[in-house]
């Protein structure tokens, strides 16, 4: 598809007139509702849409967006970043990872810092690019530091499938794939929970199907609307949520029906199940230890598991964040980035103290970027 056609496709979802019309409808519905509605957008991609298009400023007084833990970089605890750092500094290792991971500070520094100490750290757009690196470096151990929610797990599974089928012997895996529903439950069960409804992550739902959110409406009685990433998608989803409150309904709706179904992508789910099983727990930055909230390689693939192979040099103790950083409260939806004392001062994208400022999906980075703070 050429660029012009892609633009045509998106234009309708960003049309100011449509957004304005939806704002008027949201205002009318919200005026009928006597209380306040806090809507958590779980996913960092939605936080960016909200801030980029100023949707938070279009909301009536009684509707507020609160930001969630849906950015794989933001929720990665320091000890796992230290794992990547330590592995990258092994003499015969090339460490491969995705996106913003390279900039997140661990307790010794970031992967970028490791690079300046001589580590060979490569950044790829797709896990499958690791194959080329392995082929070109037959005498090196290539460790793929896998991160991400249900969205990126199928790509890691596809890499595993290629590695096993083609008997590639120099690719290893450090798995940090996490799952969305478990932290959402932890947030709902916490004493200071302020969440009234959810905007469900869309990319995750394309893979898993909307069925993973059923429990939130049946057991926890919180409406969930799975939304696309365009501003019109988010406005439509807010309208659907307020309507549910006014009509005393609590339902799971799919606004993003152009890509999401109830069952999701079954082929991708099967591929994931072939290689992964649930890890007993994962320590989320800001949220603590959450049982069953991550995946690990199945035992039959432990010969490729860098965490097992290098277990003697990888620390396991919990490492706390910078004491001024309140990313944890932000990801639990009980604080906003500008509640942080060092936001935009000691902590900026050029000198981040926490990963919410590093990641392009992080709430602090979105507030900084779209709150006119970039000089
Ligand atoms: S992978 Fe996509 S859906 Fe998941 S948190 Fe990131 S942007 Fe949101
Ligand atoms: S502004 Fe920086 S220090 Fe404060 S919460 Fe965000 S990332 Fe953490």
């Amino acid at each position: 598809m050429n660029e012009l056609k892609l633009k045509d496709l998106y234009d309708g979802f960003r049309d100011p007139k449509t957004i304005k019309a939806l704002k008027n409808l949201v205002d009318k519905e919200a005026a009928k509702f006597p209380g306040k509605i806090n809507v958590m957008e779980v996913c960092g991609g939605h936080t960016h849409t909200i801030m980029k298009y100023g949707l938070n400023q279009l909301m009536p007084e009684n509707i507020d967006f609160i930001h969630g833990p849906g950015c794989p970089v933001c929720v990665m605890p320091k000890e796992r970043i230290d794992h990547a750092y330590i592995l990258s500094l092994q003499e015969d290792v090339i460490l491969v990872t995705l996106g913003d991971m390279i900039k997140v500070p661990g307790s010794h520094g970031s992967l970028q810092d490791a690079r300046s100490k001589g580590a060979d750290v490569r950044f790829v757009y797709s896990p499958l690019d690791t194959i080329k690196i392995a082929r070109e470096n037959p005498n090196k151990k290539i460790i793929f530091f896998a991160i991400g929610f249900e969205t990126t797990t199928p790509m890691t599974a596809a890499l595993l499938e290629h590695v096993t089928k083609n008997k590639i012997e120099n690719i290893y895996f450090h798995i940090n794939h996490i799952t969305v529903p478990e932290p959402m439950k932890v947030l709902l069960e916490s004493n200071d929970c302020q969440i009234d409804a959810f905007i469900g992550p869309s990319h995750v739902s394309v893979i898993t199907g909307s069925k993973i959110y059923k429990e939130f409406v049946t057991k926890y009685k919180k409406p969930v609307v799975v939304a696309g990433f365009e501003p019109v998608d988010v406005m439509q989803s807010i309208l659907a949520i307020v309507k549910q409150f006014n009509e005393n309904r609590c339902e799971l709706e799919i606004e993003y029906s152009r890509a999401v179904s109830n069952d999701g992508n079954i082929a991708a789910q099967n591929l994931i199940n072939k290689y992964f099983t649930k890890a007993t727990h994962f320590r989320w930055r800001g949220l603590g230890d959450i049982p069953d909230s991550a995946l690990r390689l199945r035992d039959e693939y432990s010969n490729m598991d860098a965490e097992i192979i290098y277990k003697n040099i990888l620390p396991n103790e919990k490492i706390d964040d910078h004491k001024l950083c309140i990313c944890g409260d932000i990801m639990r939806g009980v604080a906003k980035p500008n509640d942080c004392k060092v936001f935009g001062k000691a902590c900026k994208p050029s000198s981040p103290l926490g990963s919410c400022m590093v990641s392009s999906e992080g709430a602090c980075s979105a507030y900084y970027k779209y709150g006119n703070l970039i000089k």
Side-chain angles (χ1 to χ4, degrees), residues 360-373:
S360 54
E361 285 174 13
C364 297
S365 139
Y367 272 63
Y368 190 88
K369 193 164 174 194
Y370 301 117
N372 297 325
L373 287 167

Side-chain angles (χ1 to χ4, degrees), residues 83-134:
H83 283 197
Y85 182 95
I86 291 165
L87 290 172
S88 75
L89 283 166
Q90 300 310 299
E91 225 168 69
D92 56 348
V93 162
I94 299 176
L95 189 104
V96 178
T97 192
L98 302 174
D100 295 322
M101 205 56 228
I102 223 149
K103 293 182 274 169
V104 188
S107 55
H108 309 294
S110 65
L111 286 172
Q112 229 161 20
D113 298 326
R115 245 185 193 170
S116 62
K117 287 189 176 166
D120 193 343
V121 179
R122 314 250 180 124
F123 155 83
V124 289
Y125 289 102
S126 159
L128 293 173
D129 297 341
T130 309
I131 298 163
K132 186 167 177 271
I133 298 172

Side-chain angles (χ1 to χ4, degrees), residues 203-272:
H203 290 155
V204 162
S205 316
V206 172
I207 305 297
T208 63
S210 64
K211 60 181 187 292
I212 61 164
Y213 309 113
K214 259 264 142 14
E215 207 182 340
F216 298 99
V217 293
T218 52
K219 179 174 169 196
Y220 295 96
K221 309 283 180 229
K222 304 289 178 189
V224 180
V225 178
V226 180
F229 278 121
E230 297 300 327
V232 165
D233 291 319
V234 174
M235 291 301 286
Q236 252 160 0
S237 303
I238 289 290
L239 183 60
I241 287 170
V242 191
K243 277 188 174 163
Q244 287 201 32
F245 277 86
N246 279 336
E247 292 161 16
N248 218 3
R249 291 182 289 119
C250 178
E251 286 168 14
L252 168 57
E253 291 182 57
I254 304 175
E255 183 278 336
Y256 194 43
S257 54
R258 56 193 190 275
V260 174
S261 63
N262 177 57
D263 292 332
N265 183 334
I266 304 289
Q269 292 167 24
N270 289 340
L271 196 61
I272 291 169

Side-chain angles (χ1 to χ4, degrees), residues 285 322 324-328 330 337 340-344 347-348 352-358 364-365:
R285 183 164 175 265
H322 193 288
L324 290 173
C325 179
I326 60 161
C327 280
I330 294 169
C340 175
K341 287 198 182 87
V342 290
F343 172 77
C347 184
K348 301 176 187 179
L353 293 184
S355 42
C356 290
M357 189 60 95
V358 178
C364 297
S365 139

Side-chain angles (χ1 to χ4, degrees), residues 6-264:
L6 255 184
K7 185 179 174 305
D8 290 347
L9 198 66
Y10 288 126
D11 269 357
F13 292 107
R14 296 174 185 176
D15 174 38
K17 277 194 197 132
T18 315
I19 296 172
K20 178 104 198 309
L22 282 163
K23 179 206 161 21
N24 291 339
L25 291 173
V26 168
D27 283 349
K28 267 191 204 146
E29 278 295 327
K32 290 189 234 161
F33 188 72
K36 185 154 195 246
I37 306 173
N38 286 324
V39 182
M40 173 174 273
E41 83 281 358
V42 181
C43 161
H46 284 135
T47 310
H48 267 247
T49 300
I50 289 162
M51 295 306 293
K52 182 171 177 185
Y53 294 93
L55 305 185
N56 53 335
Q57 291 162 28
L58 297 184
M59 288 299 116
E61 287 262 296
N62 60 341
I63 298 180
D64 198 12
F65 289 108
I66 50 180
H67 318 304
C71 165
V73 173
C74 295
V75 298
M76 190 72 70
K78 272 201 169 143
E79 61 266 23
R80 310 282 300 178
I81 297 161
D82 287 353
H83 283 197
Y85 182 95
I86 291 165
L87 290 172
S88 75
L89 283 166
Q90 300 310 299
E91 225 168 69
D92 56 348
V93 162
I94 299 176
L95 189 104
V96 178
T97 192
L98 302 174
D100 295 322
M101 205 56 228
I102 223 149
K103 293 182 274 169
V104 188
S107 55
H108 309 294
S110 65
L111 286 172
Q112 229 161 20
D113 298 326
R115 245 185 193 170
S116 62
K117 287 189 176 166
D120 193 343
V121 179
R122 314 250 180 124
F123 155 83
V124 289
Y125 289 102
S126 159
L128 293 173
D129 297 341
T130 309
I131 298 163
K132 186 167 177 271
I133 298 172
R135 210 180 292 131
E136 288 169 356
N137 297 277
N139 300 324
K140 294 270 185 176
K141 294 189 173 77
I142 318 301
I143 301 181
F144 181 62
F145 190 76
I147 62 163
F149 286 97
E150 291 91 334
T151 331
T152 51
T153 318
M155 296 301 288
T156 306
L159 175 60
L160 275 152
E161 178 93 333
H162 186 93
V163 167
T164 49
K165 286 210 163 139
N166 294 286
K167 300 192 172 44
I168 300 177
E169 289 184 346
N170 63 334
I171 298 185
Y172 301 84
F173 293 81
H174 188 293
I175 301 297
N176 301 276
H177 282 304
I178 45 182
T179 50
V180 156
E182 292 76 16
M184 287 170 70
K185 288 180 205 168
V186 166
L187 296 184
L188 288 174
E189 285 167 10
S190 70
N191 293 334
D192 52 0
C193 172
Q194 300 179 11
I195 305 162
D196 300 308
F198 288 105
I199 288 183
S202 44
H203 290 155
V204 162
S205 316
V206 172
I207 305 297
T208 63
S210 64
K211 60 181 187 292
I212 61 164
Y213 309 113
K214 259 264 142 14
E215 207 182 340
F216 298 99
V217 293
T218 52
K219 179 174 169 196
Y220 295 96
K221 309 283 180 229
K222 304 289 178 189
V224 180
V225 178
V226 180
F229 278 121
E230 297 300 327
V232 165
D233 291 319
V234 174
M235 291 301 286
Q236 252 160 0
S237 303
I238 289 290
L239 183 60
I241 287 170
V242 191
K243 277 188 174 163
Q244 287 201 32
F245 277 86
N246 279 336
E247 292 161 16
N248 218 3
R249 291 182 289 119
C250 178
E251 286 168 14
L252 168 57
E253 291 182 57
I254 304 175
E255 183 278 336
Y256 194 43
S257 54
R258 56 193 190 275
V260 174
S261 63
N262 177 57
D263 292 332

